[in-house]
C-alpha cells in the first residue's frame, strides 16, 4: 500500500460527539490551600481526609512536573483549572432522535445496545428509567453478596474506616507530581470492597457501564479484595467519551490480600484531538496494584485508543510470596496522538511471577512508546518475568519506541524480554486483497490479529467491542 | 474467459514480459512452463494486479472486461484467484475467520446475503477433509507455522471454498511430496467445470500427470514460444527447454 493510500485512509474526518451543557456550581479557577479545604468541606469529609488532602497539596507545591516521558505538549497552567464543580442538572437531548446522527453511527458500529446508547449520549435520565432500575437490581445483588460498590464520596460517608485504612497505601501522595495533585483535589471515583471469601457475583463492567456518569477530572478509585475473594472490574467504555476538561489525572489503587484476585480492565477512548493534533485530552494516570497477600494476583488489561497524550504505567507490587502480576496492553496512536505507557513489576516476595504483553500500534504521525520496569529485589527468590512488546507501524510518519528497564538484585531470577517492530507488510495486504477483502477490512483484520493476545484477556463482551473499536479508531471517526 | 493481448510488463524498470499473447476459454486448463526468469511468476502477479508490476503496453480482458482497470480486490471478487507460490502468514487471524471474511466479501459483491455460520462451518470442514487437512488447522492463524505442504493445501482449500472462475496456480507443486501433490491435484480436479478455467504455472511435468491440461505453453524471455497439448510437456521433460528452441 502506498503512503498516500495509508494517509487517505487514516485521515477520514473525525466526528466529535456532542457536549452536554451542564449547569454547575463551580469554584473560580485556581488552586490554593483554601480551595483544598473548600472541596473537603463541600463533600463533608472526615478530618483524616482533609488532612490527607492538605499534606498532598503541600507536598505537591514542592514538586516539579515530570519531563522524562516521551511526549510533547504545551505547559499546563494549573491555576486555570476549576477544581470543584458539582453538576446540578443535566440538560440533555430528550431522546435519541435529538442526538447527533454521526455519534449514533459510531455507537452502531460499536454494537452498543440502544438503552446504553441513551445513557452514553446523555439522554435525560427520566427518559431511561429502565436502565436505572437495572442498575438498582445490580446494586441489590451486590449488597446481598456483601460487596460494597459505589462512588468514592458515598464510601467516604458510609465506610470511612475502610477509606482511612487503605487510601494512599498503594500510591502515596508523594509518589509523583500528578498523584500528589490528585490526592489534594480528587473529585470522585469508585470504591469497591470484596469481603473475605466472596467471588463478586458479576463482572463489575456491566454495572459500571450503565452507571458511567461523568467521571471528573481527578478521579480516585480504590479496590480492596480481602482474603480469597475475586473481582473483575472494567473501567471506561468503548463508546466515545467527550470531556471539556483537558487534563485528567486519575489515581487507581488496588489491594489484594492472601489468595485474592483482581482483574482490572480499561478501555480508554477519550477525545484524541483533531487530525492536526489540536485539542484532545491529556491523560496522566497513576495506577498501581499491591499484591499484599500470599498467592494473590492482579491483572491489568488496557485498550488505549483515545486521548491526545497518554502517560500511564499500571503496575504491580508483588509483595506476597507466590503472587502474580500481569499487564496486557494495546495502545493505538493515530494522527498526532502520543502515548507513553507500560508497566512496572516490582518483585519483593518469593516465587513471584509477572507477565507483560504490550502491543503498540502507530498510525499517522502517532508516537507510541513502551516504557517498562522489571525490578527484582534481593528478597525475591525465584522470581520470574516474561515480557513481550511488539509494535506495529502503519505508514511512514509514525514511530514506535521501546524503553525496557530491568533491575535484578537476586540471581535466582529468570527474566525474559522479547521485542519486535513490524510494518503492515505489503505482502499481507496483497494476500488479503487477492482474496477479495477490501483494504479497510484487511487493515482492520491484520491489526486485530496483532492485538489478539491482549483482547482475549478482556471480558468476553468487551473483546468483541474492542475489535470494533480498533476499526473505528483507525478510521479516525471515533466521534 | 481470459484474453491477453501483446502484453508488455516490467518490474523495477526491467522489462520482463515482452509481447505475450494467450487466450483461455471457459472450461480450459492451460499449463505454462518455462525456465527460471522467463516471466512465469510475473505473469501471475500482473494478472492479480500486484503493486510494482507495471504493464507498459497491451491489454488483458477478463470476462470481456478490461482487467487492468480493476483493483486487486475487485478482480478477486469477480472470481480471479491466485494460489500463491509463497503464501503469507497473518498472525492472530484464524484461518477460518479469514476465509469467512473472503467468502462474505465475495457474496456481498454479488448482492447475496452473508453465509449462514453453520452452513459455512459444514462446508469448510468437508473441504478440509477433502484436502486431508486436520480440522485444527482451520483454527490456527493463517499459514502461521504451517509447513510448505500445508500452506499449499491451504491455498487449494481457499480455492475450493471461493469457487473462482479463473484460477491461477503459481508453482503450487513446488516443495510438495508425491502424496501432497496428488491431494492438491485432486482438489483442483474437483473444481474443474465447463464454466471455470485454470492457468497452471509449473517447472515440472510431474504435476501435469495429475492435472491434465488442455494446452501447454512454453514461456521464454517474456513471451510464449511454443504451444501444444500435454505431449509438449513430456517432450520438454525429455529434451529440456533448449530442445524446443527456448
Amino acid at each position: 500500500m502506498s503512503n498516500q493510500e495509508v494517509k487517505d485512509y487514516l485521515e477520514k474526518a473525525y466526528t466529535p460527539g456532542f457536549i452536554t451543557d451542564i449547569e454547575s456550581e463551580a469554584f473560580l479557577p485556581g488552586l490554593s490551600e483554601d480551595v483544598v479545604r473548600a472541596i473537603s468541606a463541600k463533600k463533608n469529609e472526615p478530618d483524616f481526609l482533609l488532612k490527607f488532602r492538605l499534606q498532598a497539596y503541600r507536598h505537591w507545591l514542592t514538586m516539579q512536573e515530570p519531563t522524562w516521558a516521551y511526549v510533547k505538549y504545551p505547559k499546563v497552567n494549573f491555576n486555570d483549572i476549576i477544581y470543584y464543580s458539582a453538576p446540578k442538572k443535566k440538560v440533555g437531548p430528550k431522546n435519541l432522535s435529538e442526538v447527533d446522527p454521526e455519534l449514533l453511527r459510531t455507537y452502531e458500529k460499536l454494537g452498543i445496545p440502544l438503552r446504553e446508547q441513551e445513557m452514553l449520549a446523555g439522554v435525560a435520565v427520566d427518559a431511561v428509567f429502565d436502565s436505572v432500575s437495572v442498575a438498582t437490581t445490580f446494586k441489590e445483588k451486590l449488597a446481598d453478596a456483601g460487596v460494597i460498590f459505589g462512588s468514592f464520596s458515598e464510601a467516604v460517608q458510609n465506610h470511612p474506616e475502610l477509606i482511612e485504612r487503605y487510601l494512599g497505601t498503594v500510591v502515596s501522595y508523594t509518589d509523583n507530581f500528578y498523584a500528589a495533585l490528585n490526592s489534594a483535589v480528587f473529585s470522585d471515583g469508585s470504591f469497591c470492597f470484596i469481603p473475605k471469601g466472596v467471588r463478586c457475583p458479576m463482572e463489575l463492567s456491566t454495572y459500571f457501564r450503565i452507571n458511567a456518569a461523568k467521571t471528573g477530572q481527578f478521579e480516585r478509585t480504590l479496590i480492596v479484595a480481602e482474603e480469597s475473594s475475586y473481582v473483575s472490574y472494567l473501567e471506561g467504555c468503548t463508546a466515545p467519551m467527550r470531556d471539556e476538561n483537558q487534563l485528567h489525572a486519575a489515581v487507581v489503587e488496588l489491594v489484594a490480600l492472601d489468595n485474592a484476585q483482581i482483574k482490572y480492565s480499561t478501555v480508554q477512548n477519550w477525545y484524541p484531538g483533531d487530525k492536526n493534533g489540536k485539542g484532545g485530552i491529556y491523560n496522566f494516570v497513576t495506577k498501581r496494584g499491591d499484591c499484599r497477600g500470599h498467592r494473590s494476583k492482579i491483572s491489568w488489561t488496557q485498550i488505549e485508543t483515545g486521548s491526545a497524550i497518554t502517560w500511564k504505567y499500571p503496575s504491580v507490587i508483588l509483595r506476597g510470596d507466590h503472587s502474580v502480576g500481569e499487564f496486557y496492553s494495546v495502545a493505538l496512536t493515530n494522527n498526532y496522538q502520543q502515548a507513553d505507557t507500560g508497566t512496572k513489576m516490582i518483585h519483593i516476595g518469593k516465587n513471584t511471577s509477572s507477565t507483560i504483553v504490550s502491543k503498540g500500534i502507530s498510525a499517522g504521525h502517532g508516537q507510541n512508546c513502551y516504557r517498562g520496569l522489571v525490578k527484582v529485589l534481593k528478597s525475591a527468590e525465584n522470581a520470574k518475568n516474561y515480557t513481550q512488546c511488539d509494535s506495529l507501524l502503519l505508514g511512514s510518519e509514525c514511530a514506535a519506541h521501546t524503553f525496557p528497564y530491568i533491575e535484578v538484585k537476586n540471581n535466582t531470577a529468570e527474566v525474559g524480554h522479547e521485542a519486535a517492530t513490524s510494518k503492515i507488510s505489503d505482502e499481507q495486504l496483497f494476500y488479503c486483497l487477492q482474496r477479495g477483502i477490501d483494504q479497510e477490512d484487511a487493515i482492520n483484520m491484520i491489526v486485530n490479529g496483532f492485538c489478539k493476545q491482549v483482547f482475549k484477556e478482556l471480558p468476553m463482551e468487551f473483546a468483541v467491542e474492542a475489535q470494533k473499536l480498533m476499526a473505528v479508531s483507525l478510521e479516525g471517526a471515533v466521534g | 474467459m481470459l484474453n491477453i493481448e501483446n502484453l508488455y510488463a516490467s518490474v523495477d524498470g526491467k522489462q520482463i514480459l515482452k509481447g505475450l499473447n494467450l487466450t483461455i476459454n471457459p472450461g480450459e486448463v492451460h499449463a505454462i512452463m518455462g525456465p527460471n526468469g522467463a516471466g512465469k511468476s510475473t505473469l501471475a502477479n500482473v494478472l492479480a494486479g500486484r503493486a510494482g508490476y507495471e504493464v507498459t503496453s497491451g491489454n488483458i480482458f477478463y470476462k470481456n472486461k478490461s482487467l487492468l482497470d480493476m483493483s486487486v480486490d475487485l478482480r478477486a471478487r469477480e472470481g480471479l484467484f491466485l494460489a500463491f507460490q509463497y503464501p503469507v502468514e497473518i498472525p492472530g487471524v484464524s484461518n477460518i475467520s479469514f476465509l469467512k471474511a473472503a467468502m462474505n466479501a465475495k457474496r456481498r459483491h454479488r448482492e447475496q446475503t452473508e453465509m449462514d455460520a453453520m452452513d459455512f462451518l459444514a462446508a469448510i470442514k468437508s473441504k478440509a477433509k477433502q484436502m486431508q487437512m486436520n480440522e485444527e488447522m482451520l483454527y490456527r492463524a493463517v499459514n502461521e507455522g504451517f509447513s510448505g505442504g500445508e500452506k499449499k493445501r491451504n491455498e487449494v482449500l481457499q480455492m475450493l471454498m471461493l469457487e473462482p472462475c479463473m484460477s491461477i496456480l503459481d508453482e503450487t507443486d513446488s516443495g510438495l511430496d508425491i502424496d501432497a501433490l496428488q491431494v492438491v491435484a485432486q482438489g483442483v480436479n474437483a473444481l474443474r467445470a465447463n464454466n471455470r478455467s485454470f492457468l497452471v504455472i509449473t517447472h515440472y511435468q510431474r504435476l501435469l500427470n495429475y492435472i491434465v491440461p488442455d494446452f501447454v505453453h512454453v514461456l521464454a524471455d517474456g513471451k510464449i514460444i511454443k504451444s501444444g497439448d500435454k505431449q509438449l510437456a513430456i517432450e520438454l521433460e525429455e529434451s529440456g527447454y533448449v530442445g524446443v528452441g527456448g
Side-chain angles (χ1 to χ4, degrees):
Chain A
M1 182 165 57
S2 74
N3 284 329
Q4 191 53 46
E5 282 171 311
V6 176
K7 226 168 139 220
D8 292 346
Y9 174 70
L10 295 170
E11 275 185 0
K12 281 184 200 166
Y14 180 90
T15 349
F18 74 100
I19 305 164
T20 43
D21 287 325
I22 296 178
E23 204 187 302
S24 61
E25 180 197 4
F27 288 7
L28 290 172
L31 186 53
S32 67
E33 203 161 304
D34 286 344
V35 169
V36 174
R37 284 179 193 279
I39 293 170
S40 192
K42 274 273 173 213
K43 297 167 95 60
N44 193 26
E45 289 176 349
D47 283 347
F48 80 87
L49 202 49
L50 173 62
K51 210 175 134 202
F52 177 81
R53 287 182 185 273
L54 288 173
Q55 281 173 336
Y57 174 68
R58 288 170 197 151
H59 189 79
W60 179 73
L61 289 175
T62 68
M63 298 176 96
Q64 296 290 318
E65 229 179 311
T67 52
W68 46 263
Y70 203 90
V71 294
K72 286 192 202 111
Y73 58 95
K75 254 193 140 28
V76 176
N77 186 343
F78 292 94
N79 277 323
D80 283 350
I81 293 171
I82 294 170
Y83 289 89
Y84 182 84
S85 114
K88 260 187 176 167
K89 192 176 126 221
K90 266 191 188 175
V91 184
K94 287 195 184 60
N95 54 55
L96 281 180
S97 67
E98 291 179 20
V99 173
D100 182 349
E102 280 301 299
L103 187 69
L104 295 180
R105 193 184 63 93
T106 307
Y107 289 161
E108 201 65 41
K109 279 193 162 183
L110 291 168
I112 293 169
L114 204 64
R115 274 286 133 62
E116 290 182 31
Q117 290 188 21
E118 290 175 336
M119 291 295 289
L120 294 163
V123 170
V125 173
D126 55 354
V128 284
F129 44 78
D130 274 1
S131 301
V132 174
S133 65
V134 168
T136 313
T137 316
F138 281 156
K139 207 153 193 171
E140 282 167 6
K141 207 168 154 191
L142 288 171
D144 284 349
V147 174
I148 300 168
F149 183 56
S151 77
F152 198 90
S153 305
E154 253 170 57
V156 167
Q157 299 306 321
N158 302 334
H159 308 279
E161 72 293 346
L162 289 173
I163 301 288
E164 187 169 11
R165 187 157 161 204
Y166 290 106
L167 180 72
T169 63
V170 185
V171 178
S172 148
Y173 63 79
T174 59
D175 191 85
N176 68 71
F177 184 83
Y178 298 109
L181 179 63
N182 176 288
S183 301
V185 301
F186 65 84
S187 32
D188 208 339
S190 306
F191 175 73
C192 179
F193 179 84
I194 320 293
K196 198 168 171 175
V198 170
R199 194 183 164 87
C200 187
M202 67 186 73
E203 293 267 356
L204 287 183
S205 53
T206 324
Y207 178 99
F208 191 84
R209 201 160 72 169
I210 289 173
N211 284 271
K214 276 230 154 326
T215 49
Q217 194 170 9
F218 300 101
E219 197 181 352
R220 188 89 196 189
T221 300
L222 174 60
I223 298 176
V224 178
E226 280 199 328
E227 291 83 353
S228 304
S229 66
Y230 169 86
V231 63
S232 167
Y233 183 95
L234 190 127
E235 160 204 45
C237 186
T238 51
M241 286 283 199
R242 196 78 209 260
D243 198 303
E244 64 272 34
N245 298 317
Q246 190 171 36
L247 173 70
H248 277 245
V251 171
V252 177
E253 298 179 277
L254 312 182
V255 179
L257 303 184
D258 287 356
N259 294 305
Q261 198 180 331
I262 301 174
K263 188 175 165 60
Y264 192 106
S265 314
T266 304
V267 176
Q268 186 265 116
N269 188 19
W270 277 326
Y271 183 55
D274 68 13
K275 69 170 187 167
N276 298 315
K278 219 169 159 276
I281 303 255
Y282 299 169
N283 190 24
F284 301 146
V285 186
T286 307
K287 288 185 163 171
R288 194 171 304 151
D290 189 355
C291 281
R292 212 163 274 183
H294 298 315
R295 297 180 199 281
S296 55
K297 180 177 176 183
I298 290 177
S299 306
W300 298 101
T301 304
Q302 60 172 19
I303 311 297
E304 303 281 325
T305 61
S307 295
I309 300 175
T310 300
W311 181 98
K312 181 179 172 190
Y313 314 90
S315 306
V316 184
I317 301 165
L318 297 150
R319 206 183 298 275
D321 292 346
H322 299 276
S323 59
V324 177
E326 292 175 338
F327 174 75
Y328 297 97
S329 168
V330 166
L332 183 149
T333 51
N334 194 357
N335 296 321
Y336 284 87
Q337 280 178 276
Q338 308 173 63
D340 192 306
T341 184
T343 184
K344 287 189 271 186
M345 292 291 175
I346 315 293
H347 293 257
I348 300 171
K350 297 185 184 67
N351 301 305
T352 48
S353 65
S354 59
T355 303
I356 298 169
V357 176
S358 162
K359 303 276 182 178
I361 300 150
S362 319
H365 294 83
Q367 294 285 331
N368 211 316
C369 162
Y370 168 80
R371 188 185 301 276
L373 170 67
V374 177
K375 192 169 182 172
V376 179
L377 300 192
K378 211 165 171 190
S379 54
E381 287 288 315
N382 301 314
K384 282 192 183 63
N385 163 265
Y386 170 74
T387 299
Q388 181 191 340
C389 67
D390 299 327
S391 306
L392 185 67
L393 305 176
L394 281 86
S396 55
E397 285 157 288
C398 52
H401 316 271
T402 305
F403 303 103
Y405 303 90
I406 299 170
E407 285 174 37
V408 179
K409 302 249 165 62
N410 184 314
N411 59 15
T412 60
E414 280 175 43
V415 177
H417 183 94
E418 284 177 34
T421 299
S422 52
K423 285 185 94 162
I424 279 202
S425 80
D426 291 343
E427 308 269 312
Q428 285 175 332
L429 209 51
F430 177 63
Y431 192 73
C432 295
L433 292 172
Q434 213 300 309
R435 295 302 181 248
I437 299 165
D438 69 32
Q439 185 157 296
E440 192 168 325
D441 287 350
I443 292 175
N444 290 335
M445 186 184 269
I446 295 167
V447 169
N448 276 311
F450 175 77
C451 300
K452 193 170 186 178
Q453 248 178 308
V454 174
F455 287 169
K456 71 178 173 49
E457 299 296 328
L458 284 173
M460 186 66 150
E461 75 230 67
F462 284 95
V464 177
E465 277 186 28
Q467 287 197 24
K468 294 179 189 159
L469 175 62
M470 297 309 282
V472 175
S473 302
L474 280 173
E475 190 185 84
V478 183
Chain B
M1 181 73 72
L2 190 71
N3 245 308
I4 304 173
E5 295 173 357
N6 204 26
L7 183 69
Y8 284 77
S10 63
V11 181
D12 290 332
K14 192 175 173 237
Q15 202 72 44
I16 308 284
L17 298 180
K18 303 166 185 171
L20 187 142
N21 290 287
L22 180 65
T23 298
I24 299 176
N25 294 309
E28 292 176 355
V29 176
H30 290 240
I32 289 203
M33 302 181 74
N36 283 328
K40 301 191 298 294
S41 283
T42 299
L43 175 61
N45 284 313
V46 166
L47 291 173
R50 189 174 202 140
Y53 290 78
E54 199 193 343
V55 173
T56 47
S57 77
N59 279 314
I60 306 174
F61 294 97
Y62 170 59
K63 296 201 265 191
N64 300 319
K65 281 181 274 190
S66 171
L67 185 72
L68 299 175
D69 293 338
M70 293 157 76
S71 65
V72 178
D73 48 328
L74 181 61
R75 294 179 198 196
R77 289 194 292 271
E78 284 283 338
L80 184 132
F81 181 94
L82 172 64
F84 283 63
Q85 186 177 359
Y86 304 109
V88 181
E89 299 184 358
I90 310 178
V93 177
S94 76
N95 218 0
I96 194 163
S97 59
F98 178 75
L99 244 175
K100 199 169 175 198
M103 289 285 283
N104 284 331
K106 190 168 172 174
R107 291 178 70 96
R108 279 196 302 272
H109 180 65
R110 293 180 182 165
E111 294 178 352
Q112 291 168 322
T113 53
E114 296 201 346
M115 201 167 174
D116 175 78
M118 296 317 284
D119 292 348
F120 173 77
L121 197 63
I124 196 169
K125 279 185 177 173
S126 99
K127 307 272 188 215
K129 201 168 174 187
Q130 195 179 337
M131 292 312 296
Q132 299 183 15
M133 284 168 72
N134 198 325
E135 219 174 88
E136 164 265 339
M137 289 182 71
L138 299 175
Y139 300 96
R140 279 171 40 194
V142 179
N143 293 320
E144 201 179 43
F146 287 23
S147 71
E150 285 170 338
K151 284 182 182 172
K152 297 298 176 71
R153 284 184 207 205
N154 199 34
E155 292 293 288
V156 179
L157 171 71
Q158 293 180 17
M159 192 174 89
L160 287 175
M161 287 298 289
L162 293 169
E163 300 181 325
C165 311
M166 178 75 234
S167 303
I168 302 152
L169 288 90
D170 189 5
E171 302 202 17
T172 299
D173 54 332
S174 65
L176 291 187
D177 62 31
I178 193 77
D179 293 337
L181 189 73
Q182 287 186 9
V183 173
V184 163
Q186 274 166 22
V188 175
N189 288 331
L191 211 55
R192 281 178 86 155
N194 48 23
N195 58 349
R196 284 186 225 292
S197 311
F198 295 84
L199 180 62
V200 181
I201 294 170
T202 179
H203 261 298
Y204 305 104
Q205 187 268 333
R206 189 176 70 147
L207 176 66
L208 305 180
N209 288 333
Y210 303 101
I211 304 173
V212 181
D214 301 303
F215 300 93
V216 174
H217 310 278
V218 178
L219 182 65
D221 194 26
K223 50 183 177 255
I224 288 170
I225 55 162
K226 191 162 184 176
S227 298
D229 60 10
K230 189 185 176 290
Q231 196 55 37
L232 177 60
I234 295 167
E235 284 168 29
L236 281 171
E237 187 92 338
E238 285 163 2
S239 49
Y241 295 112
V242 183
V244 294

